Amino acid sequence: MSILIFQLENEKDFLVSDIENRRVEEAIDFEHIKSSFIANISHEFKTPINIILSTVQLLIAIEKGDFNRITKDRYIEYLNMLKQNSYRLLRLVNNIIDTAKIENNFYKLNLGNYNIIKLIEDITMSTSNYVSENNRNIIFDTDEEEVILACDPDKIERVILNLLSNAIKFSELGSNINVDVSTDFDRNIVYVSVKNTGELISEEYANKIFGQFMQGENLFIRRTEGSGIGLYLAKYFIKMHNGDIWLNLDNKECTEFTFSIPIEKVHDKENFNEDIYIINESKIIEQCNIEFSDIYK
């Protein structure tokens, strides 16, 4: 009996030790990720701040007469540089604040019953000017014209804009960006896919890119800027809708992000008719300016 008790105690000690080791390894990995994120986010702040300061100094020097007068077009170009990099800073701050809200469970959905097809189409097509300015084409397609379900339009807007922003960054010049909506009434689910041609994401990183601090396969050698928070927020917003979002690895021809939302309605309303969500053009322009601010032509 004493030998059996000794063996059980040894096995228990081994299991406790193994669990503790795993916890230590996970803590070390998380600290490494956080350190990389801090280094990355510091770079993300530093770049637009340096551009803003340099541009301001140049404009001041021109105003003082230290340089020859510049054309109006060139002056507007400098002002646009200030504006774009100010939006970049705002985007970074917004994403960090949103992340903090998530960690403290401060986010709440403002649900209503909306035609998700019209909502996604309006958001998508409102970005057509931005997409064309970046030498891409945007194509919207759907198998249904009306599907009423419960959602928060502002959060859906954030998700769509983030996916479109990524599609522009990592697609080829002159290529198409496709936004497809399909409906499975048997399962009561709506699927939304955003596709773009370009370099595919490996399977190794497919499960990591929705992480809180993950950005891409190479943090320091990349074609575009970004803090790596956007997809983390997109996943959180979709999860709040009882949906899911993933990278379709079965598609070997293009990069395809898909999210799903269940066809459910808000039950505490007096009726189940469609709520009207009108795209505010000035608001959507402002959101595009913010979300697309780290895309340079």
Side-chain angles (χ1 to χ4, degrees):
M1 176 68 72
S2 60
I3 295 175
L4 179 60
I5 293 173
F6 178 76
Q7 290 176 338
L8 290 174
E9 288 180 347
N10 280 346
E11 290 177 2
K12 179 180 178 182
D13 291 340
F14 177 78
L15 289 173
V16 171
S17 176
D18 188 50
I19 292 172
E20 289 298 327
N21 287 336
R22 285 202 300 269
R23 287 176 178 173
V24 170
E25 290 175 359
E26 290 173 357
I28 292 173
D29 289 341
F30 185 70
E31 287 300 320
H32 175 71
I33 292 173
K34 284 204 302 183
S35 297
S36 298
F37 171 75
I38 291 172
N40 180 36
I41 206 72
S42 298
H43 166 76
E44 298 298 338
F45 274 108
K46 185 176 181 180
T47 300
I49 289 174
N50 283 338
I51 293 174
I52 290 171
L53 288 175
S54 299
T55 306
V56 169
Q57 291 171 357
L58 178 60
L59 293 176
I60 291 175
I62 292 172
E63 188 64 27
K64 288 181 176 179
D66 295 340
F67 290 93
N68 294 329
R69 302 297 297 179
I70 60 174
T71 64
K72 181 178 179 180
D73 289 342
R74 190 65 171 169
Y75 191 83
I76 292 175
E77 182 181 340
Y78 288 139
L79 291 179
N80 286 333
M81 288 174 61
L82 290 176
K83 183 179 180 180
Q84 180 174 14
N85 284 278
S86 296
Y87 279 127
R88 278 190 65 188
L89 290 177
L90 182 59
R91 181 174 185 262
L92 285 167
V93 172
N94 286 345
N95 283 347
I96 292 173
I97 291 174
D98 286 339
T99 302
K101 286 182 179 180
I102 289 173
E103 292 178 348
N104 291 280
N105 295 317
F106 284 159
Y107 255 121
K108 302 295 181 184
L109 289 181
N110 183 21
L111 292 175
N113 298 319
Y114 297 96
N115 180 0
I116 190 66
I117 308 298
K118 184 177 188 303
L119 175 63
I120 293 174
E121 181 178 13
D122 288 348
I123 295 171
T124 299
M125 300 317 297
S126 68
T127 67
S128 59
N129 288 337
Y130 286 85
V131 176
S132 61
E133 286 175 1
N134 284 275
N135 297 316
R136 276 84 166 173
N137 306 306
I138 194 160
I139 300 173
F140 177 83
D141 191 27
T142 178
D143 62 351
E144 298 288 336
E145 294 300 323
E146 180 178 277
V147 178
I148 309 299
L149 55 75
C151 68
D152 183 333
D154 289 331
K155 300 301 184 292
I156 298 299
E157 180 181 291
R158 292 279 299 279
V159 173
I160 294 293
L161 291 181
N162 178 259
L163 294 179
L164 289 177
S165 173
N166 289 334
I168 294 173
K169 293 176 193 175
F170 299 106
S171 60
E172 301 168 347
L173 291 174
S175 63
N176 294 332
I177 295 173
N178 296 82
V179 178
D180 299 326
V181 183
S182 59
T183 308
D184 186 339
F185 287 110
D186 292 331
R187 301 179 62 190
N188 280 329
I189 296 177
V190 169
Y191 297 95
V192 182
S193 296
V194 178
K195 308 173 188 176
N196 66 270
T197 56
E199 186 176 351
L200 298 179
I201 299 173
S202 68
E203 184 174 354
E204 177 186 358
Y205 283 89
N207 296 323
K208 298 180 180 180
I209 54 178
F210 292 102
Q212 186 171 354
F213 302 120
M214 294 304 296
Q215 181 187 46
E217 299 196 23
N218 194 318
L219 187 64
F220 301 105
I221 304 175
R222 59 185 190 269
R223 292 182 296 165
T224 62
E225 303 295 338
S227 60
I229 305 177
L231 285 175
Y232 167 73
L233 293 174
K235 187 177 183 69
Y236 184 82
F237 292 152
I238 294 300
K239 288 289 187 181
M240 291 179 74
H241 285 81
N242 297 319
D244 198 7
I245 183 170
W246 63 92
L247 175 67
N248 184 5
L249 292 173
D250 293 332
N251 192 336
K252 305 299 182 182
E253 297 180 355
C254 63
T255 299
E256 178 182 355
F257 282 94
T258 302
F259 68 86
S260 62
I261 301 179
I263 304 176
E264 300 172 347
K265 294 182 179 180
V266 180
H267 296 296
D268 59 354
K269 291 202 168 188
E270 294 181 0
N271 58 70
F272 301 109
N273 294 329
E274 176 190 353
D275 289 324
I276 304 300
Y277 182 76
I278 300 175
I279 295 292
N280 185 318
E281 291 189 8
S282 60
K283 176 179 175 290
I284 199 70
I285 289 174
E286 186 76 0
Q287 286 299 111
C288 287
N289 284 331
I290 294 172
E291 190 61 45
F292 298 168
S293 60
D294 54 356
I295 301 173
Y296 288 93
K297 300 181 181 64

